[in-house]
Amino acid sequence: MATEVINGIEVTDYRHSEDDLLPTSVEELKEYITRLSEKRNVIQTDIDKHSEVLRRENNVGMDGPLIDSEQFPRSDIDVVAVRTARQQVIMLTNDMRNVMGHIEQALFKLHELMPRQENTRNGMREEMRPPTRPPFLQVHGVLPDSPAFISGLRDGDIICQIGSLHKENFSNLGDVADIVKLSVNKAVPVKL
């Protein structure tokens, strides 16, 4: 990780700081996942910090115009700070996507390595079933030819889990938007 100051704003480059090789033991994987989760939290804090600059500058956001009607730079905002903040939000979002991908790979590997636990009752082996989660969302419209439509999601479907989001950790629809944003051009598992 490299931290530097650009136009008076502290920026951190999170790329190339993690090995692409996954640890091979369960304990090392758990530690690796913990480190990645901490890194994800730091990146989210940085995204929030740069997003605050965009809110502070007349709520210009990621898409607001930087020039006035006469094609001059707006005088009511710090254009350099806005451009720097936008660039950092884009870079950090890409870094977040990368870290989340590493977390996902590590979790898959962890589950492969962990011994299967079998439930037994009276010496009889029981079939292990994945736990079912209670539903927490209902679909109220799917755009034709959208990825959701193509994958089979339909109006009226009841969702029990979308990605890692379920009833216990769901707080608002922004959570769903975050899952979708972090999964651009990737499949998002949905359990109905």
Side-chain angles (χ1 to χ4, degrees):
M1 275 185 292
T3 301
E4 60 183 288
V5 177
I6 299 174
N7 296 323
I9 299 173
E10 184 177 299
V11 295
T12 304
D13 184 359
Y14 293 95
R15 296 170 295 172
H16 314 296
S17 62
E18 284 297 326
D19 262 339
D20 286 336
L21 299 175
L22 291 175
T24 55
S25 76
V26 171
E27 289 305 314
E28 288 173 341
L29 271 169
K30 287 180 180 179
E31 291 172 11
Y32 178 72
I33 291 167
T34 301
R35 283 194 316 273
L36 287 175
S37 295
E38 290 167 355
K39 186 175 180 179
R40 180 187 59 83
N41 292 340
V42 169
I43 293 171
Q44 184 61 54
T45 300
D46 284 353
I47 289 172
D48 294 342
K49 178 178 71 174
H50 293 293
S51 295
E52 179 57 34
V53 170
L54 299 176
R55 280 189 290 279
R56 187 177 60 231
E57 294 293 332
N58 283 334
N59 209 21
V60 70
M62 295 294 290
D63 302 320
L66 300 181
I67 56 174
D68 60 20
S69 60
E70 296 174 352
Q71 305 301 312
F72 288 104
R74 287 176 53 180
S75 61
D76 61 329
I77 61 173
D78 182 346
V79 175
V80 173
V82 169
R83 290 187 66 181
T84 302
R86 284 179 176 177
Q87 177 189 11
Q88 288 305 307
V89 168
I90 291 168
M91 287 176 47
L92 289 166
T93 301
N94 290 336
D95 293 345
M96 176 74 82
R97 203 173 285 131
N98 184 31
V99 168
M100 294 300 288
H102 284 288
I103 290 172
E104 181 180 20
Q105 289 173 351
L107 286 172
F108 281 129
K109 176 95 174 196
L110 178 66
H111 286 286
E112 286 175 11
L113 293 177
M114 290 186 68
R116 299 263 182 230
Q117 305 213 346
E118 297 177 1
N119 294 328
T120 59
R121 184 184 303 150
N122 301 331
M124 300 285 292
R125 183 176 170 190
E126 295 179 6
E127 182 182 333
M128 290 186 60
R129 294 184 192 129
T132 57
R133 298 199 181 270
F136 70 104
L137 288 174
Q138 182 174 13
V139 177
H140 292 286
V142 180
L143 294 174
D145 299 324
S146 68
F149 183 85
I150 292 168
S151 69
L153 199 62
R154 298 294 182 262
D155 188 36
D157 283 347
I158 306 284
I159 297 176
C160 299
Q161 185 171 345
I162 179 166
S164 60
L165 192 61
H166 48 82
K167 186 173 185 171
E168 288 80 27
N169 65 2
F170 174 77
S171 59
N172 60 47
L173 289 175
D175 296 342
V176 176
D178 291 341
I179 294 283
V180 172
K181 281 183 204 171
L182 292 173
S183 302
V184 173
N185 296 324
K186 293 182 183 176
V188 178
V190 176
K191 292 183 183 177
L192 304 178

